Amino acid sequence: MSVVRIDPVTGGRPVPSSDRSTLLGVTGEPLADIGQAPRLLAQAALNELRRNADGVPPGAELLVEAARLFASADLDGESIDDYVNRVTLSTGLTAATVRLAVEDLVKEIVALPATTAAELPVTDFGSGFRTRWVPRGRVFAGVMASNHPVPNATWVQAVYHGYSVLVRPGSRDPFTPRRLVAALLRAGLPADRLAFLPSSREVGEFLLRKADRGIIYGGRQAVETWQGDDSIAVRGPGSTKAFLDADLDDALLDHLVTSASFDGGTRCTNLSAVLTTRPVAEVADRLARRLSTLPVLPADHPDASLLVLDAHRAEQIRRQTAELRTELTDHSARHDAHEPFVRLENGSLLPRPLVLSADRAGHPAVGTELPFPFIVVAPWTEADGTAPLRESLVLNLLTEREDLAERALLEPTVRKVTRGTVLPWTAVPGIPHDDNYTQFLLEPKGVVSGDIDSKAGRHLAST
């Protein structure tokens, strides 16, 4: 595959940058020559967007057309197959995962009107009284990660609601936001409503500080600055746990294995911890044995299901998991005949699924997130209460206990609760992923027209 040249895009035009970097794939080959946006260019893009921002939504039809183009058209000389190959090689996601992500992105964009309606309360109060939901600002900044393409739907939603948007792509996946920007512009979005800015972390933080609203994805270190900032939606690191209070039959085992390994374990909603009232070693052994059957294949193989890594990233994770193995019991070592990291013929490295067990629910490893199938199993007793269930993006309750379900729902750090064999990412429009994102973007304003009910108007005015 040829090396693609990527530059910042402002005003609908690429802006050549002399500050360039080479994006290497998981096999070590160059994939893209990327021009980085310096802070001066980011400031100029911000000024242009703010000068022309009017807050007027572009219309759902334009977004639907952009979604169609994203999934099927040649954009900037890139076919959809080229795009899938590039994202597979740059991120290590399997080709099947990237193709599914394209479908999911299209579904999320097409569903934006339904999502918006579901996440806002009734706004028509009759007799001339209603609430209008409008953007909380004019300029939005999206600082994206590279673990999965689908989170890019969040900044597209900001476009849908009328924001002008600055996008700083993830360092390993500039391809998804670049393709979405091209699709939106070809569908008819005014060129001064979008800017695509590959850049340093510092420039990304500058964009977040200057925008009216923003979103950031990343690990704990990347997002900690923005925790508690009401104008920034923080996404990461996710922690998804299961509470297993039942015998582990085959159906439950299938459910837990799928929860941990779907999309190669790269989703923020993939399972990473199991708290259980059942024998810990038995549960961990069965999970490890089942996960050990997942095949060792390169990411572009049609049957591949596991993430692959470049050598540098693999070494980082190798050190992290080696430390965890010294503290916890390694159940995968008993059941997986492969080395923990398998070097493939193309030079990439495949981390094997890893199941560890801890001796207590409060062990600090419970809740650790890694970008491949990784589970820590720990015991839970009545004395532990809900403490080990806290700090969960999704909590999957495999129990009949209604009291525990209620306590989990009332726990502020548990963001979503699923019950039974429901996969953690299951949702329909209106089900919050992590709070109500539509209301993060929009605020209510009262509108009272001339055809009001005079009695109702006087009553409200007097109170």
Side-chain angles (χ1 to χ4, degrees):
M1 173 165 283
S2 61
V3 176
V4 62
R5 180 184 173 97
I6 295 176
D7 278 300
V9 175
T10 68
R13 305 176 305 280
V15 180
S17 171
S18 59
D19 180 8
R20 312 200 69 80
S21 63
T22 300
L23 173 61
L24 301 178
V26 291
T27 61
E29 84 283 21
L31 290 178
D33 171 30
I34 302 176
Q36 302 292 315
R39 178 163 167 169
L40 191 62
L41 178 59
Q43 179 70 67
L46 174 68
N47 292 344
E48 181 181 16
L49 260 66
R50 195 173 287 286
R51 185 166 55 249
N52 297 294
D54 58 12
V56 177
E61 298 82 4
L62 187 150
L63 274 292
V64 171
E65 174 63 7
R68 186 191 69 78
L69 293 168
F70 173 77
S72 60
D74 283 5
L75 297 167
D76 290 335
E78 179 186 74
S79 70
I80 185 63
D81 290 337
D82 291 339
Y83 161 76
V84 171
N85 289 337
R86 285 181 175 131
V87 176
T88 299
L89 287 168
S90 65
T91 64
L93 294 168
T94 70
T97 294
V98 179
R99 290 193 184 281
L100 181 59
V102 171
E103 294 179 16
D104 287 346
L105 263 169
V106 169
K107 288 177 184 174
E108 291 211 16
I109 293 170
V110 170
L112 282 173
T115 300
T116 302
E119 292 194 345
L120 298 180
V122 174
T123 58
D124 186 354
F125 302 100
S127 302
F129 296 95
R130 65 190 177 96
T131 298
R132 174 80 179 273
W133 289 83
V134 299
R136 293 181 183 272
R138 293 291 171 84
V139 176
F140 180 92
V143 174
M144 310 309 294
S146 303
N147 64 307
H148 203 281
V150 169
N152 284 280
T154 54
W155 65 259
V156 177
Q157 183 171 350
V159 171
Y160 169 70
H161 290 307
Y163 283 90
S164 296
V165 173
L166 305 142
V167 186
R168 184 228 174 203
S171 59
R172 285 179 284 109
D173 181 16
F175 307 110
T176 300
R178 170 178 177 258
R179 188 171 174 82
L180 280 167
V181 166
L184 285 161
L185 294 176
R186 185 179 298 181
L189 188 75
D192 54 17
R193 297 289 292 271
L194 268 180
F196 169 74
L197 300 169
S199 52
S200 65
R201 175 181 172 179
E202 289 72 23
V203 171
E205 292 179 343
F206 166 77
L207 296 174
L208 288 172
R209 285 196 301 273
K210 293 296 184 181
D212 302 319
R213 291 266 136 174
I215 192 167
I216 180 169
Y217 289 83
R220 196 173 305 281
Q221 187 176 4
V223 305
E224 62 184 358
T225 301
W226 308 101
Q227 298 282 4
D229 187 330
D230 291 340
S231 69
I232 306 297
V234 175
R235 297 290 185 267
S239 179
T240 294
K241 302 171 187 170
F243 177 71
L244 176 64
D245 184 32
D247 293 336
L248 188 60
D249 59 22
D250 287 344
L252 283 177
L253 182 61
D254 288 344
H255 166 68
L256 293 175
V257 166
T258 303
S259 297
S261 63
F262 188 76
D263 273 358
T266 58
R267 291 182 175 228
C268 57
T269 47
N270 280 119
L271 178 70
S272 61
V274 175
L275 285 303
T276 183
T277 57
R278 298 309 194 256
V280 168
E282 181 181 325
V283 171
D285 274 336
R286 292 193 66 189
L287 285 169
R289 190 180 304 120
R290 180 66 66 84
L291 285 166
S292 73
T293 65
L294 295 176
V296 174
L297 294 169
D300 58 355
H301 192 285
D303 296 327
S305 59
L306 295 176
L307 178 82
V308 298
L309 304 167
D310 62 80
H312 176 70
R313 197 164 169 230
E315 181 56 30
Q316 289 178 322
I317 295 175
R318 187 198 303 274
R319 287 198 295 269
Q320 189 174 0
T321 53
E323 185 175 340
L324 289 167
R325 282 188 168 98
T326 64
E327 301 174 3
L328 306 173
T329 301
D330 184 350
H331 294 263
S332 294
R334 303 174 184 172
H335 301 286
D336 198 326
H338 299 91
E339 293 293 321
F341 288 78
V342 180
R343 182 175 291 279
L344 304 179
E345 289 185 2
N346 63 11
S348 61
L349 288 110
L350 185 149
R352 295 296 296 159
L354 179 58
V355 180
L356 305 173
S357 66
D359 58 0
R360 61 190 189 281
H363 194 286
V366 175
T368 299
E369 288 284 313
L370 291 172
F372 67 100
F374 170 81
I375 306 174
V376 175
V377 184
W380 182 90
T381 67
E382 200 66 43
D384 292 315
T386 57
L389 308 179
R390 294 171 185 159
E391 304 294 339
S392 297
L393 178 60
V394 183
L395 176 61
N396 181 205
L397 295 175
L398 301 166
T399 179
E400 299 297 323
R401 291 187 51 170
E402 296 297 331
D403 63 321
L404 197 67
E406 182 64 17
R407 288 157 62 194
L409 275 171
L410 296 176
E411 167 54 45
T413 63
V414 174
R415 309 306 293 160
K416 178 181 176 182
V417 172
T418 60
R419 303 198 64 179
T421 53
V422 175
L423 294 171
W425 47 87
T426 303
V428 295
I431 291 293
H433 170 67
D434 186 0
D435 212 339
N436 188 318
Y437 185 62
T438 299
Q439 292 190 32
F440 167 77
L441 294 170
L442 303 180
E443 64 178 340
K445 289 189 178 180
V447 178
V448 182
S449 59
D451 56 344
I452 63 172
D453 181 313
S454 58
K455 291 182 180 179
R458 283 197 297 273
H459 173 71
L460 289 172
S462 66
T463 57

